Amino acid sequence: MWLINSSIGRKVVMSVTGIALILFLTFHGCMNVVALFSGEAYNMICELLGANWYAIVATLGLAALAVIHIVFAFILTAQNRTAKVEWASQNMLVLGIIILLGLLLHLFNFWYNMMFAEIMGFTNGHLPSDGFAFIVDTFSNPVYVVLYVIWLCAIWFHLTHGFWSAMQTLGISGKIWFCRWRVIGIIYVTLLMLCFLVVVLAFAFKCAPSLCNYAGC
């Protein structure tokens, strides 16, 4: 099958799975911003996306996309080790490892304590649907804050390269649009990562408006 056996095919798979993951991050980032203004509204979303069958199916699909993307990333990185490409491309493996480690930490802090806990029937300090409480707990720890900031920076570097590269692979980027997609990608990814970063820093410095109601002030 050419998608697996050819270099172009592997790049297409990387591009399609990468775009799908960016769309998920967009939804996730918008959802996180809700936590800044209302803990109740955020928890309503968490409850809606709990251990329901559709949420579980979506999670399994997302996990499959991530695994495929990671596996093909390792394959393409091995192929490109001797190629003369830009810094971001040469160091995709390093960035990918940082992103993978950050993802495992994120899954432990949230998915394990929420969806997995609900499926297995246990609690870890809070109800599985109380995602807001887990955000407060996680980002009250300065070590986690630093690790998440590093993780988000790695994702930013990874996506700013991956965004325009995906457009180029899929044939959407011509001579005129090559530079445009780079600019669009940088702007879009920067705004997306800011959605996550603002939440991390707002809860770290306890300046999120929703924390007032949470603390009863």
Side-chain angles (χ1 to χ4, degrees):
M1 188 175 179
W2 74 275
L3 284 175
I4 299 175
N5 297 326
S6 70
S7 178
I8 296 177
R10 295 187 190 107
K11 289 181 179 179
V12 169
V13 172
M14 280 283 294
S15 299
V16 172
T17 55
I19 291 173
L21 292 172
I22 289 175
L23 291 175
F24 166 74
L25 285 176
T26 302
F27 165 77
H28 195 7
C30 293
M31 174 182 168
N32 283 7
V33 170
V34 173
L36 290 174
F37 303 99
S38 174
E40 292 182 358
Y42 181 79
N43 282 345
M44 286 178 61
I45 300 174
C46 291
E47 189 170 356
L48 180 65
L49 300 175
N52 301 298
W53 68 267
Y54 51 83
I56 295 175
V57 170
T59 300
L60 291 175
L62 181 65
L65 287 173
V67 170
I68 293 171
H69 191 80
I70 292 170
V71 169
F72 276 74
F74 275 98
I75 295 174
L76 287 172
T77 299
Q79 290 178 340
N80 294 332
R81 287 184 67 87
T82 58
K84 293 182 179 179
V85 289
E86 61 182 82
W87 182 90
S89 181
Q90 290 177 334
N91 292 275
M92 274 297 200
L93 181 60
V94 176
L95 292 174
I97 291 174
I98 295 173
I99 292 170
L100 180 59
L101 292 175
L103 177 60
L104 293 176
L105 175 65
H106 187 63
L107 289 174
F108 172 75
N109 285 332
F110 294 98
W111 179 81
Y112 173 77
N113 291 314
M114 296 173 69
M115 180 180 283
F116 184 76
E118 187 175 347
I119 293 173
M120 300 304 294
F122 70 88
T123 58
N124 190 11
H126 306 288
L127 292 174
S129 59
D130 195 358
F132 187 81
F134 287 112
I135 291 179
V136 175
D137 287 352
T138 299
F139 299 126
S140 63
N141 186 329
V143 175
Y144 282 151
V145 172
V146 172
L147 292 176
Y148 268 82
V149 170
I150 295 173
W151 184 42
L152 293 174
C153 289
I155 295 175
W156 183 88
F157 278 109
H158 186 81
L159 293 186
T160 49
H161 170 81
F163 187 94
W164 68 261
S165 180
M167 296 298 125
Q168 186 180 42
T169 298
L170 297 176
I172 304 175
S173 176
K175 291 183 178 180
I176 297 177
W177 275 93
F178 180 78
C179 293
R180 292 179 182 177
W181 277 125
R182 281 198 172 215
V183 174
I184 292 172
I186 290 173
I187 294 173
Y188 186 86
V189 171
T190 299
L191 292 175
L192 179 58
M193 289 300 101
L194 282 176
C195 288
F196 290 96
L197 184 61
V198 166
V199 173
V200 172
L201 296 180
F203 280 87
F205 293 101
K206 296 179 173 57
C207 56
S210 56
L211 278 172
C212 185
N213 291 331
Y214 180 80
C217 57

